Amino acid sequence: MEWLNYHHLFYFWTVAREGTVTAAAKELHVARTTITAQVRELEKSAGAKLFRKSGRYLELTEFGQHVFHYAEEIFLIGRELTDFMKTGQPGMTKKFVVGMPDVVPKLVAFELLKPAIHHPEGFQIVCYEGKLPELMADLALHRLDLIISDSVAPPTVDVKAYSHRLGECGLSFLAVPELARKHRQKFPKSLTGAPLCLPTEHTAVRRALNHWMDDNDIHPRIVAEFEDSALLKVFGQSGLGIVPIPTAIEKEVKEQYDMQLVGRLEDVVDRFFAISVEKRVHHPAVQAIVEQARSEIFEVK
């Protein structure tokens, strides 16, 4: 039987969490060369690269992401075992593992996950971000209990999964006060020539927004595009441009990012889905998420 070297795995896991060998070495109080050697030994054993360079940081390869997810599980169980040996009380926390593409707004994700966080069964929430096809693969292997997405399960992915509609809402266009005042009048025609920060073309809402702008002869000045919804809001907060966000979280975004309303658009909707391997939802956390989303979250505030 071939044994896994957990020392190698632990060093790899730490580098993946810290982002650099230097930071991992500082965290573990060992030399950088020790970290590098251990990770190389793990790569040699696996027969595949775990990291690639991305500027000053190390980025996980697709293979490395899968290894990291396993490592997370292993070391979480290790911590639970340590607690049990100290207290004699087995851990009662159940994990609820959720994946989501980074295009899903973080505030929407938080609101959707609230019922699971506060569920009477006391779930421990574990969240992963990634590309939807990769998350679908993890769902098929039961590494995820649920995917929260802005689109249904893609038909091109050979995974038997079901998309449960959570709800939809229109878009609210927000900007810093000066920019909002300038473009608020005659909205949405005022968007022509206005600086806009938008989600990338990979998102369902961006494609719908493009069609709407073409149909209504509206031609903004697109100054930036972002795949990460949080980064989109940060650049909007900087005054770079007007940003569209789901109306369901308009109030929270205005308060958190100090932006004001330019106008609301109901002709383009942002939709959200819970993707699971269950045709009929039985998982109690998923049931709570679906019920609250449909009854409370997706209402215009």
Side-chain angles (χ1 to χ4, degrees):
M1 179 179 179
E2 187 174 350
W3 292 94
L4 175 66
N5 189 311
Y6 288 97
H7 288 291
H8 296 168
L9 187 66
F10 183 69
Y11 284 124
F12 155 76
W13 178 65
T14 306
V15 173
R17 294 177 69 195
E18 298 295 328
T20 67
V21 171
T22 300
K26 185 177 179 181
E27 173 71 19
L28 298 175
H29 305 288
V30 298
R32 292 180 72 257
T33 52
T34 301
I35 298 279
T36 302
Q38 297 277 8
V39 171
R40 284 177 179 168
E41 284 297 317
L42 184 61
E43 288 182 327
K44 183 179 177 181
S45 175
K49 284 288 186 183
L50 298 169
F51 293 106
R52 56 174 169 261
K53 289 287 288 182
S54 178
R56 295 170 53 196
Y57 296 92
L58 289 174
E59 183 180 88
L60 287 168
T61 62
E62 183 177 349
F63 181 79
Q65 289 175 359
H66 289 295
V67 175
F68 178 72
H69 288 170
Y70 279 116
E72 286 270 84
E73 295 278 341
I74 288 168
F75 293 120
L76 174 61
I77 292 171
R79 287 194 294 271
E80 291 178 355
L81 175 58
T82 301
D83 291 341
F84 169 71
M85 290 190 295
K86 287 179 178 178
T87 65
Q89 298 295 321
M92 300 301 291
T93 303
K94 299 177 183 178
K95 285 198 301 180
F96 179 56
V97 188
V98 182
M100 61 187 73
D102 49 16
V103 298
V104 174
K106 305 303 182 285
L107 286 170
V108 169
F110 174 68
E111 291 297 328
L112 289 172
L113 290 175
K114 268 185 181 179
I117 294 169
H118 301 297
H119 198 277
E121 293 193 25
F123 291 102
Q124 177 188 339
I125 311 298
V126 182
C127 293
Y128 293 109
E129 284 190 331
K131 304 297 183 186
L132 186 54
E134 297 167 4
L135 295 173
M136 292 294 298
D138 285 338
L139 183 70
L141 294 172
H142 301 284
R143 294 174 188 156
L144 299 176
D145 295 306
L146 183 72
I147 296 173
I148 291 176
S149 177
D150 67 334
S151 62
V152 297
T156 53
V157 177
D158 189 21
V159 176
K160 189 174 183 180
Y162 301 92
S163 302
H164 309 280
R165 181 178 173 275
L166 295 174
E168 63 183 41
C169 61
L171 297 180
S172 295
F173 287 77
L174 306 182
V176 294
E178 182 181 352
L179 201 55
R181 285 193 297 270
K182 182 178 179 181
H183 296 281
R184 187 174 290 134
Q185 288 189 349
K186 298 183 179 179
F187 179 88
K189 289 295 184 182
S190 61
L191 292 178
T192 291
L196 256 62
C197 296
L198 296 177
T200 65
E201 301 275 357
H202 297 114
T203 61
V205 69
R206 171 63 186 279
R207 293 191 292 271
L209 193 54
N210 284 349
H211 287 307
W212 176 83
M213 290 189 295
D214 289 341
D215 290 344
N216 289 273
D217 197 30
I218 290 176
H219 305 284
R221 179 166 56 90
I222 300 173
V223 294
E225 300 178 55
F226 301 95
E227 194 142 302
D228 188 302
S229 62
L231 197 58
L232 173 72
K233 297 180 188 68
V234 169
F235 274 80
Q237 183 184 36
S238 75
L240 182 66
I242 300 169
V243 298
I245 57 100
T247 298
I249 55 169
E250 177 190 313
K251 181 175 180 287
E252 291 83 354
V253 174
K254 285 193 295 188
E255 291 174 355
Q256 185 170 329
Y257 292 90
D258 195 26
M259 291 192 284
Q260 295 181 2
L261 180 67
V262 179
R264 297 190 186 97
L265 186 62
E266 296 183 359
D267 295 338
V268 179
V269 296
D270 213 348
R271 295 182 172 90
F272 298 94
F273 300 87
I275 304 174
S276 75
V277 293
E278 297 179 322
K279 186 173 184 179
R280 293 177 62 86
V281 175
H282 298 292
H283 194 296
V286 179
Q287 287 179 333
I289 287 170
V290 171
E291 289 170 7
Q292 183 161 314
R294 293 175 177 175
S295 64
E296 297 179 30
I297 297 175
F298 292 102
E299 297 178 350
V300 177
K301 298 182 179 181

